[in-house]
Amino acid sequence: MLTTVIRLAELINVEGKGKIVSGNHDGTFHGRAAERDVLAKVLDAGSGVVHVEGDAGVGKTCLLTWAARDAARRGYAVETAADVLDQPFLLARLAQDGPVEPTVIVLDDLHLADPGTLAALRSLLPGCHERRVVWLLAGDRADDRLLPQHATRITLEPLPDNVVSDLVTDFLGGKPDTGLRALASLAQGNPARLVALLTALREDGQVHLERGRAALRTEVPPRRVEKLLRERLDRLSERARHLLQVASVLGQAFEPGDVAQMLGTSTAILLPVLDETIGAGVVTSVEDRLAFGHELIWRLVSDSVPAPVRRALHREAGEMLLARGDSAVTAAQHLLHGAQRGDVRSIEGLVSAATAVLRQAPDASAELAVRALELTDQTSEALIPRTVVAVRALAASGKLTAAQALAQDVLGRQVPAQASVQLRHVVALTLGLSAQHAEAIAILDELLDEPDLPEEVATWVEITRLLSLLGHDAARAGEVAETVARAHRGPANDLLANALAVLSVVTRDTGQPGPAAELAKEAANSASGTELCAYPQVLYASQLGSLREFAEADAMVRRVRSTPWRNAPKDTHTAVVQSRILLQAGRLEDAVAEARGALAAAEESALMLFVPPALAVLATAAVHTGDLPSAIDHVDRFRTKLPPDGIVFSPAYYQWTDLLVSFVGFGLDRVLGLLSDSYGDLIEGSSLLVEEPRSAAWFVRRAQEAGDIALAEHTVRRVEQLADDNPSFRAVAVAAIHARGLIDGDAKLLEQAAAQHRDLWARANAAEDLGALLAASDRAASVKALENALGFYREIGAIRDSARVMGRLRKLGRRRRTQPVRPLSGWSSLDDTEQAIANLVAKGQTNRQISAQLFMSPHTVNFHLRKIFRKLGISSRVELVMRTRPEQ
C-alpha cells in the first residue's frame, strides 16, 4: 500500500499548477544532482540504508520525496509513515509481516523520534542487505549506533548562489536583479527559508517583473518580509540582540573591535555571540569588516533602539572615533545624529571635524559646521568662532549666498577683530566669485589697511584683491601685480605665483603672447601646491591648450585635480578650462559634457565668474553640432546679461565665439559689422590668433567671401608676424602656412597645413579648404581632400561641418552616407569612452573614481552614464553591471 506524504508541497508547490516551482522542468529540484545520483545507485542495487542529514529546511524531505517517486516508477512498493507518531506502528507491522519485496521504506524526522522507535528501527536495519529492501531515512544528524556499517550517509549543504538564483527565477518568474539576489542571500542557501522569504515578497507585492527580470519595488512597504526577518531576530539570544543594536548604530558595516569597545569588552569575549549572529545569517563577513546581511535587517535592528538611546550611542561612537584619531568625517556623522543643544562635547566634536575636513570634503565640512552652529546658544562665546568655520566651509562648498548672508548677519554685531577680518574676506571672496568685483575690491582695500593683519590672512586678501582687480580694471591689476613681483624676495610662494599669473593675463590681452606664455609657465611653477595655487596652474593649462600642447595641458589639469584639497570654485574653474581644452582637441562630446557640468555647478552655487566661459564653450560646440538656437542663446547671455571679465578666458575668445555664432546665425554682414565696430582691434591688438590658431584661416575665408582683400592680407600678415616672433609656437606657424595657402590659392601649402595641424578642427578645415581649391582643376584630388575633411569632422562629431562637406562632395558627383553605421542601441552602440566607463562601473568604481581614471570630471562621467543608460535601455548602475558582465 502506497502511503507517501509529500511535505515538499508545503514548502514550494504552487497551488493549481501541479508542479514544483523550485524544480527543473521535469518536476525535480535544483542543486542536488550529486545526491540524487547516490540515491539512484542504491535503488539500482536493490537494497541498502541511506541516511540524509542536514539543517532544518535544507531539503531532506524534498530529496526523500524525489527518491520515493523514482522508486515507485521503478516498481518498488513505497512505505512511509504519515508523521513521527505513525512511525512506531509502521515499524511494528514491518517487524511482524515483513516488507513486500522490492520495497522502499521512508522515515523522515528521525531526530524527533522517541527511543522506542529508534530501538525498533535499530533491530530491523541489520538484515536489510539480505532482502530487496531500501531504507530511506532522514534527520538533522544520524546516531552512529543506529546505522549499520554499510549505510550510505548524505549530508545536505546549503545551496550555492547560482542555484539560489535559479530557484528565485523559478519561483518569481524572472531572473533576479542584484538587490533581489542580495535579499535572497539572507536564506543562506536554505530552500525552506528562501521560499518563505520569496512568498512574503510576493504577498507584499514587492516584486516587479519586466522582460524576464525580477526586481524589488522599493516603494512598497515590506510588511510580511519584515515580520519574517523580525521572527529570525527574535530567535537570537538576548546578548546577540544587544550586540546587534550597538552595531547598528555604527552602520550597516562595522568593525567588531568598535562594537567591543562600545560594550566595554574585547572581541575575543564577544566571539561566541558574533558566531551566533553569523550563523543565523543576520551578519556576514565583508572583506575586513562585518556587515548586516541586508539593509532591511539593519533597519529593523536600528529601529528597535529607542531614539534617546540611539542618540547617546551615536555620541559615544563619534567621541570614540575622534579620540582614536579615525576619520573625522565618520566620527562627525555620528556626532550629527547624537548632538543636542547644550551638548558641548558633541558640538565641539562637530566643529573639530568640520575644520579637519574643510580642504578635502567641503560639502561635509559645511554640513557639520552649520549643524554645530544650529546647536550653539546665541549667547555662547563659541558662536563667533563657529560661525567663521561655517562661513568658510559654505564658501568652499560653493554655497556662496548662504556664506555671504551668514557672514554679514554676524558682522552686524560686535565681533572680535580677527573674526571680523576672516568674515569680511569671505564676503569679498564670494562677491568676486559672483563677478561683483568692485564691491569685493572695496572690502579688500579696507582689510589691507587693517593694522596687524595676520600674514596668512594677508596673503589670501592680496590674492583675492589681485583677481578682483583683474576682473574690474586689468591695467590696475597689472600695476599691482608688477609691484608684488618686483618686491618679492626669497623663495617662490603663492602670492608671487598669482601676481605672475595676473601679469600673464594682462600681457596676453595686450597682444604679447610670447611673454604671456613664459609668465604663465613661471606662475604655475612658482605655486606651492596649496589651495592658493589653483589660478596660476589652471591658467597655464588653458594657455597650453591654446598652443595645442594637449598632452601638457592634460597633465596640468590632472595635477590640479589630483591635489588633496577640494573646493567648488577650484573644481568649477578647472572643469570649464578643461572643457575648452577638450573642444580645441576635437573631443566635442566630452567638451560639452564638461562645460554643462561646469555651468550647472556655477549657476547652482552662484559662481557667476564661471558662467560666461562655460557658455562660450557650449556656444561654439552648438554651432558645430547645428544647434543654432542654443548657440545664439548662449552668446546672448554672456554678451548682454553676464558680461565676461577676462579672468578665465580672454575677452578676445568671447568675441571670436560671438563672430562664429553671428556668421552662422545672421550672415557675413553681421560679422563685418562687428569687426569694423565693437571688435575692431580683435585681429591686431589681441592674442586671438595664438589663442585660437584656426581663427586665422577663418578670417581669411570670411574676407574672401566679402571681397575684402585688405582684411585677408592684414590677417595673414598678423599671423605670420606672430609665427616669426614666437618660433616655439608650432600651432601658430602651421596656422600661418594655412592662411597663406588660402590667400595665395596654393594647394601645396594647404596640403602641408592639413598634414601638420595638431588639432582635428584645423586639420579638417585645411583639408576642406584644399578640396574647395582643387574642385575646378583636379576633381579626384578634390574628392580625396574633402573625404579626409569629412572623416575628421565625423570623428569630432561636428554635424554641421560634415553636412557642409557632404554638400561639396555631392556637387562633385560623390555621395556619402550621412553617418558611419553604428547601431542606435545595444552594447555596440557605445563609443570607446562609453564602453570604458561601463567597464569601470562593472568593477564597482564610483563616478569620482572613474573620473580620476579617465582624467575627466565626475560631471562628464555622469553625462556619459545617462547616454549609456539610454542606449542600453536601462535605468541604474546595477542593471549596467549585469549588462556589462556578459559583454566582458
Side-chain angles (χ1 to χ4, degrees):
M1 176 180 177
L2 182 62
T3 58
T4 302
V5 177
I6 305 176
R7 279 195 288 162
L8 175 63
E10 298 174 11
L11 297 176
I12 48 180
N13 192 44
V14 175
E15 293 183 14
K17 293 188 178 180
K19 74 170 249 185
I20 300 168
V21 177
S22 67
N24 298 319
H25 295 297
D26 62 359
T28 62
F29 48 90
H30 289 288
R32 302 300 185 197
E35 291 83 353
R36 296 205 313 268
D37 287 344
V38 171
L39 287 168
K41 289 178 180 178
V42 174
L43 292 175
D44 288 341
S47 66
V49 177
V50 179
H51 189 276
V52 181
E53 54 195 63
D55 295 335
V58 79
K60 300 184 295 293
T61 301
C62 297
L63 190 59
L64 291 188
T65 301
W66 173 86
R69 287 177 174 172
D70 189 35
R73 284 194 295 267
R74 292 167 179 256
Y76 281 89
V78 179
E79 299 274 5
T80 185
D83 51 36
V84 175
L85 296 178
D86 191 39
Q87 288 177 356
F89 300 101
L90 173 61
L91 293 175
R93 180 168 57 79
L94 291 173
Q96 178 179 345
D97 300 334
V100 177
E101 297 185 30
T103 297
V104 168
I105 303 167
V106 182
L107 297 177
D108 200 357
D109 293 332
L110 285 179
H111 57 285
L112 302 177
D114 59 61
T117 300
L118 296 177
L121 179 60
R122 190 177 296 114
S123 67
L124 290 172
L125 291 179
C128 67
H129 64 282
E130 299 172 355
R131 310 177 65 181
R132 295 196 63 200
V133 176
V134 175
W135 291 81
L136 300 181
L137 314 175
D140 285 359
R141 61 190 56 83
D143 185 343
D144 291 336
R145 295 171 299 175
L146 173 68
L147 301 179
Q149 289 184 346
H150 61 270
T152 300
R153 301 178 68 155
I154 298 175
T155 302
L156 296 185
E157 301 293 344
L159 297 175
D161 291 343
N162 62 317
V163 175
V164 169
S165 181
D166 290 341
L167 284 168
V168 175
T169 301
D170 277 358
F171 195 92
L172 298 179
K175 191 174 182 178
D177 68 357
T178 303
L180 194 50
R181 289 200 307 276
L183 190 58
S185 69
L186 293 178
Q188 297 179 284
N190 186 293
R193 293 181 194 169
L194 178 62
V195 170
L197 181 63
L198 298 177
T199 301
L201 283 173
R202 196 163 58 187
E203 291 178 357
D204 279 338
Q206 276 208 293
V207 179
H208 172 69
L209 293 174
E210 185 176 358
R211 298 177 183 177
R213 301 189 69 83
L216 287 173
R217 294 176 56 191
T218 55
E219 75 277 10
V220 180
R223 294 187 178 89
R224 287 290 305 272
V225 177
E226 287 188 352
K227 181 175 181 293
L228 197 67
L229 297 177
R230 195 175 291 110
E231 289 172 354
R232 183 185 299 187
L233 292 170
D234 289 342
R235 288 194 289 270
L236 296 173
S237 67
E238 185 176 346
R239 286 190 67 202
R241 293 197 301 272
H242 181 202
L243 178 144
L244 291 173
Q245 286 179 318
V246 174
S248 71
V249 173
L250 295 172
Q252 191 170 345
F254 57 90
E255 296 281 356
D258 290 346
V259 180
Q261 186 171 344
M262 290 187 67
L263 289 171
T265 183
S266 68
T267 307
I269 293 175
L270 290 181
L271 190 56
V273 188
L274 290 169
D275 281 344
E276 181 185 354
T277 62
I278 294 171
V282 175
V283 169
T284 61
S285 178
V286 181
E287 295 179 354
D288 58 344
R289 311 180 79 195
L290 295 180
F292 284 87
H294 194 272
E295 182 185 356
L296 277 176
I297 291 184
W298 173 52
R299 196 177 68 209
L300 284 173
V301 175
S302 180
D303 289 347
S304 72
V305 183
V309 178
R310 189 161 57 246
R311 282 197 300 269
L313 288 171
H314 275 300
R315 187 167 59 251
E316 289 179 14
E319 291 172 354
M320 173 188 72
L321 295 173
L322 278 179
R324 204 167 61 199
D326 281 11
S327 166
V329 175
T330 305
Q333 291 302 320
H334 288 294
L335 295 175
L336 274 173
H337 290 293
Q340 291 181 291
R341 185 173 294 277
D343 185 350
V344 177
R345 287 176 60 193
S346 293
I347 297 173
E348 281 301 325
L350 289 174
V351 176
S352 298
T355 304
V357 303
L358 175 59
R359 293 183 176 182
Q360 290 78 33
D363 287 335
S365 178
E367 182 183 3
L368 298 169
V370 169
R371 180 58 179 157
L373 207 56
E374 290 171 350
L375 298 174
T376 301
D377 192 287
Q378 293 297 298
T379 61
S380 171
E381 293 181 357
L383 179 66
I384 300 302
R386 290 173 185 171
T387 301
V388 172
V389 175
V391 167
R392 291 179 60 203
L394 286 167
S397 64
K399 300 174 179 64
L400 301 191
T401 304
Q404 193 177 119
L406 180 59
Q408 290 176 332
D409 177 62
V410 174
L411 285 168
R413 314 177 195 178
Q414 192 72 23
V415 179
Q418 185 175 357
S420 173
V421 166
Q422 292 179 307
L423 290 171
R424 283 186 289 160
H425 172 254
V426 173
V427 170
L429 180 64
T430 60
L431 287 169
L433 291 169
S434 302
Q436 300 175 66
H437 302 300
E439 296 88 337
I441 292 167
I443 296 173
L444 295 164
D445 284 344
E446 289 179 1
L447 286 173
L448 288 174
D449 290 337
E450 290 278 340
D452 303 322
L453 190 65
E455 184 178 348
E456 64 276 7
V457 178
T459 301
W460 265 103
V461 171
E462 289 191 76
I463 291 174
T464 308
R465 180 169 176 264
L466 270 172
L467 296 179
S468 294
L469 280 170
L470 183 60
H472 180 65
D473 184 346
R476 176 64 179 146
E479 294 170 3
V480 174
E482 189 170 351
T483 300
V484 171
R486 285 178 176 174
H488 178 75
R489 299 290 183 273
N493 59 25
D494 289 317
L495 178 57
L496 174 64
N498 280 273
L500 293 172
V502 168
L503 284 173
S504 172
V505 170
V506 174
T507 306
R508 175 199 67 190
D509 293 345
T510 53
Q512 304 173 68
E518 289 300 318
L519 284 166
K521 182 177 182 179
E522 186 180 356
N525 291 334
S526 298
S528 66
T530 70
E531 58 195 304
L532 299 174
C533 73
Y535 185 71
Q537 293 182 336
V538 177
L539 174 70
Y540 186 45
S542 181
Q543 293 206 12
L544 286 169
S546 295
L547 296 173
R548 286 8 184 202
E549 304 290 346
F550 295 124
E552 292 86 343
D554 283 344
M556 183 55 65
V557 169
R558 290 198 300 270
R559 178 177 167 186
V560 175
R561 282 180 165 166
S562 65
T563 54
W565 47 270
R566 307 193 61 81
N567 62 63
K570 184 208 80 167
D571 292 345
T572 308
H573 185 191
T574 308
V576 79
V577 167
Q578 174 71 335
S579 72
R580 188 174 74 160
I581 294 171
L582 292 168
L583 182 66
Q584 292 165 331
R587 294 168 57 184
L588 186 58
E589 212 170 69
D590 292 336
V592 169
E594 196 87 48
R596 283 178 178 169
L599 180 62
E603 291 179 328
E604 181 182 353
S605 304
L607 291 163
M608 307 315 292
L609 181 67
F610 305 114
V611 171
L615 290 171
V617 172
L618 290 172
T620 304
V623 165
H624 291 294
T625 57
D627 185 1
L628 185 58
S630 293
I632 294 172
D633 179 64
H634 294 327
V635 170
D636 181 62
R637 284 189 65 193
F638 75 65
R639 190 200 305 123
T640 60
K641 301 173 185 176
L642 294 165
D645 51 27
I647 293 178
V648 180
F649 298 149
S650 73
Y653 180 72
Y654 298 101
Q655 294 172 10
W656 155 247
T657 305
D658 192 359
L659 290 174
L660 279 177
V661 175
S662 295
F663 175 69
V664 176
F666 306 104
L668 183 58
D669 288 344
R670 175 73 169 265
V671 171
L672 297 176
L674 288 170
L675 285 174
S676 63
D677 184 14
S678 305
Y679 305 158
D681 201 33
L682 180 58
I683 296 175
E684 183 66 35
S686 76
S687 297
L688 176 65
L689 301 183
V690 174
E691 194 171 358
E692 286 295 332
R694 71 186 180 104
S695 65
W698 188 88
F699 283 119
V700 172
R701 273 186 235 107
R702 303 293 81 83
Q704 288 176 328
E705 289 172 15
D708 190 339
I709 303 303
L711 175 60
E713 290 179 344
H714 175 65
T715 302
V716 174
R717 285 196 303 271
R718 174 60 175 160
V719 73
E720 288 179 337
Q721 177 192 346
L722 288 169
D724 291 340
D725 293 344
N726 302 278
S728 63
F729 292 180
R730 290 172 290 181
V732 179
V734 181
I737 293 171
H738 189 169
R740 175 57 66 185
L742 267 175
I743 198 169
D744 291 350
D746 190 324
K748 289 186 177 180
L749 288 179
L750 291 178
E751 187 175 0
Q752 182 181 351
Q756 293 183 2
H757 270 306
R758 303 185 67 185
D759 67 84
L760 289 177
W761 287 112
R763 192 177 301 171
N765 292 161
E768 183 181 357
D769 289 335
L770 176 62
L773 177 66
L774 295 175
S777 59
D778 189 339
R779 179 181 173 279
S782 174
V783 167
K784 181 179 178 182
L786 290 173
E787 287 188 333
N788 286 339
L790 181 61
F792 292 138
Y793 284 136
R794 283 179 168 174
E795 185 176 345
I796 294 167
I799 298 170
R800 180 177 177 276
D801 303 278
S802 297
R804 183 180 62 245
V805 174
M806 285 190 291
R808 293 183 186 275
L809 285 168
R810 280 194 294 272
K811 290 180 180 179
L812 294 172
R814 191 66 173 256
R815 296 189 176 274
R816 294 287 304 267
R817 284 185 299 205
T818 57
Q819 275 288 26
V821 177
R822 182 186 287 275
L824 296 176
S825 62
W827 185 261
S828 57
S829 71
L830 305 185
D831 61 29
D832 293 342
T833 300
E834 291 163 350
Q835 290 196 29
I837 290 173
N839 288 330
L840 290 173
V841 169
K843 295 176 182 177
Q845 295 204 8
T846 65
N847 283 13
R848 189 163 295 281
Q849 290 170 327
I850 294 170
S851 70
Q853 288 267 23
L854 301 181
F855 305 115
M856 60 180 66
S857 76
H859 294 297
T860 308
V861 175
N862 194 47
F863 171 80
H864 284 300
L865 271 177
R866 289 197 298 271
K867 291 183 61 183
I868 292 168
F869 289 170
R870 184 177 68 252
K871 289 180 178 180
L872 297 183
I874 59 178
S875 59
S876 70
R877 298 173 79 91
V878 170
E879 291 178 277
L880 178 57
V881 171
M882 297 305 299
R883 185 70 175 269
T884 306
R885 283 175 180 166
E887 301 294 346
Q888 290 176 332

